[in-house]
Amino acid sequence: MSPEVEAVLARLQPYPEDGSRADGPVAADATDRLLLDEAAALVRAFPDDVVVVGDRFGALTLGALASGARRVRTQMDAVTAEAALSANSRRVSKTLWDAHAWATASAPDPHEPAGPGFTQHDRLEPRLFEGARVVLLQLPASLAELTEIAEHVARYADPAVTLLAGGRVKHMTHAMNDVLGASFAQVSASLARQKSRLLVAREPRSDVGPLTYPVTARLTDREILDAIVPPGPAPGNRGPGRPAGLTVVAHGAAFAGATLDHGTRFLLAQAHRWPHLSDLQVPPVTSTSDTSEAPVPGMDAHPVAIDLGCGTGILATVLALRYPTAHVLASDRSRAACDSTGATLAANGVRAVGIVRDDAGALLPVPDGSADLVLLNPPFHDRAALSTDAAHRMFATAGRVLRDGGELWTVFNTGLHYRRALERAVGPTEHVAQDRRFTVTRSVRKLLTDMSVTGG
């Protein structure tokens, strides 16, 4: 790797962190460096035809530009990764310009450094890959996500495209080779370096069928059938007209795919204990936060229920069907999750649900202290690494948006012991249920009391 490219990578930070935490993420890891080294000649040869997928903090995108790419098209599933790329591009702009100027001056076909840049694409789509000759990919943990990416590259990129997919050796499996082999005639593996390795795919197959994702499934699990019935003693609630199931639609990167994961199933099994939102007397919303969003029109007249970290939208759909008079919101940091949620809602005839792509519910369009119910099945992995950072940010969001007396229902891996964190962020927390793997808790939002204000 050239000193110029290394200078760019050395200045990156694992946004929103500054990189000082010993056990925190690394902005440019060994896999990023191996990908950039192996792709350097291709990037210089095809400076306008480079695509990056799955960049974590911008190392691949900015590293490709420092290596001589004029324009990089990039797509990241997580909104946090997009924010990291934007922050790091501002941080290294001068260093990046110098590196790009050096790389283009030494390229086989020199060109003027007219300003290296990147274009962010919201989702996997044909125009992201049209004419691409070089695609750099941080291997996802999910084979379904890898399948969706590989199929898009094979169908829409230039027939002479080279896909370089890198990962940590301990997280790579032979199944990844098989997935790539289904879309490319030639797949090979590089030598390992610093515990990272590349899979290199060439020659897209011309005999492949339609795109596999998104996939659709009809779920008729008892927990879903019971949870989608509106609460109350009315005989019609549980008669022949009750829904016969729930249709779920999932993109490759969406957690659990088109299935009902164990944690969500366990949370749904407690639905009979969720509050009866139709019985609530909803007070006018009065927020004391200067940063609160303006209330959604008509929200004062209806209870507010939120699916925080919505995944494929199963919980958001259940909320909308169970509480037909409630204003339902869903949020997730993943583009695949938000698109899956929208498709799942539509497949079940639900229209009036707001979907927000943000980090841990930070941009939910509700004032502080306005929500009545939040359902949460927080992630505890970031790619293949164990991480509870997102969960704690979600707890803080729930504590902010819930009204006094509002409830947060959380399901989590029992070994994570979140109860004290929930009590600090939200309020008194009750242990509702536990099985071999998961725990469900109910936290009730309590505003500051006179005793807490006086320090008693």
Side-chain angles (χ1 to χ4, degrees), residues 202-218:
R202 299 185 177 90
E203 299 179 19
R205 295 187 182 277
S206 58
D207 58 346
V208 292
L211 293 171
T212 302
Y213 292 91
V215 294
T216 301
R218 184 71 171 171

Side-chain angles (χ1 to χ4, degrees), residues 271-345:
H272 63 285
R273 300 187 59 179
W274 298 351
H276 288 203
L277 298 190
S278 58
D279 297 339
L280 291 174
Q281 297 297 315
V282 182
V285 175
T286 56
S287 173
T288 58
S289 171
D290 294 336
T291 60
S292 293
E293 298 284 346
V296 175
M299 190 176 65
D300 278 359
H302 301 280
V304 176
I306 299 172
D307 178 3
L308 191 55
C310 56
T312 57
I314 290 176
L315 290 176
T317 305
V318 166
L319 286 172
L321 295 174
R322 182 178 180 85
Y323 304 112
T325 63
H327 181 78
V328 178
L329 294 169
S331 82
D332 204 292
R333 72 174 187 170
S334 161
R335 168 56 64 191
C338 289
D339 287 351
S340 299
T341 293
T344 294
L345 290 164

